[in-house]
């Protein structure tokens, strides 16, 4: 099931790519496989620096669940979340986080800020990195190669 959710996140990343955004997609889902929120990067188009795929998906899931607390839900995202997104995931109480590509420069989970390693972290989800890593990395690498 987690691979099918990451495959959906990759589809969303493709949508971001088509509209000129950094190709990142995120899906929030229940253990049953029901998707309750999804999103892709929408920073440039919306002139909103917080419109990362994870934040967009969290907002939609919170509306769907009619709650800011998303206890028991899981997230699949194509890129390791940044510190802002990692903190939002923590505050939402997402149970499990799966990401594809590692972000050694700007990651906030297993690289960089390592938000969940801090004693003051609100809630630490179970984290699994590297799911479909090659596919998730390829789309990002091709995007940035074209930008240079």
């Amino acid at each position: 099931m987690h691979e099918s959710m990451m495959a959906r996140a990759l589809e969303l990343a493709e949508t971001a790519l088509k509209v000129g955004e950094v190709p990142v997609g995120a899906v929030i889902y229940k253990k049953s496989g029901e998707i309750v929120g999804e999103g892709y990067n929408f920073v440039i188009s919306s002139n909103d620096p917080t419109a990362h795929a994870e934040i967009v998906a969290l907002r939609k899931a919170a509306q769907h669940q009619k709650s800011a607390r998303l206890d028991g839900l899981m997230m699949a995202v194509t890129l390791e979340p940044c510190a802002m997104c990692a903190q939002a995931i923590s505050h939402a109480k997402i149970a499990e986080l799966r990401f594809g590509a590692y972000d050694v420069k700007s990651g906030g989970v297993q690289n960089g800020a390592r938000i969940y390693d801090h004693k003051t972290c609100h809630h630490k989800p179970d984290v699994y990195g590297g799911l479909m890593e090659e596919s998730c990395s390829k789309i990002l690498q091709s995007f940035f190669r074209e930008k240079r």
Side-chain angles (χ1 to χ4, degrees):
M1 172 181 55
H2 303 298
E3 284 193 3
S4 67
M5 294 299 154
M6 186 62 78
R8 175 62 186 148
L10 274 165
E11 290 173 1
L12 292 163
E14 289 283 348
T15 301
L17 182 66
K18 288 175 185 168
V19 297
E21 298 280 348
V22 176
V24 177
V27 176
I28 298 176
Y29 54 103
K30 295 181 178 182
K31 289 179 184 174
S32 66
E34 177 190 355
I35 294 173
V36 297
E38 60 183 27
Y40 56 86
N41 273 8
F42 206 63
V43 173
I44 298 164
S45 305
S46 65
N47 297 314
D48 179 355
T50 69
H52 290 199
E54 300 95 324
I55 302 296
V56 173
L58 285 167
R59 288 175 180 154
K60 289 181 180 177
Q63 288 174 349
H64 180 274
Q65 298 293 101
K66 295 181 177 33
S67 175
R69 295 180 68 136
L70 304 176
D71 298 303
L73 298 180
M74 297 169 271
M75 177 184 280
V77 59
T78 57
L79 179 64
E80 176 181 355
C82 69
M84 173 185 70
C85 292
Q87 196 67 268
I89 290 164
S90 172
H91 282 280
K93 297 192 176 293
I94 292 289
E96 296 179 17
L97 169 65
R98 286 175 172 73
F99 67 85
Y102 290 85
D103 188 347
V104 296
K105 273 176 94 175
S106 301
V109 178
Q110 292 186 348
N111 292 286
R114 300 177 72 112
I115 296 298
Y116 304 138
D117 289 350
H118 295 272
K119 290 178 186 174
T120 57
C121 179
H122 186 68
H123 161 78
K124 180 181 179 180
D126 293 331
V127 177
Y128 306 93
L131 179 62
M132 297 176 64
E133 181 180 4
E134 187 176 332
S135 299
C136 293
S137 294
K138 270 186 183 177
I139 190 171
L140 287 159
Q141 289 167 351
S142 62
F143 173 80
F144 286 113
R145 200 174 303 120
E146 286 184 28
K147 289 287 181 192
R148 294 180 188 130

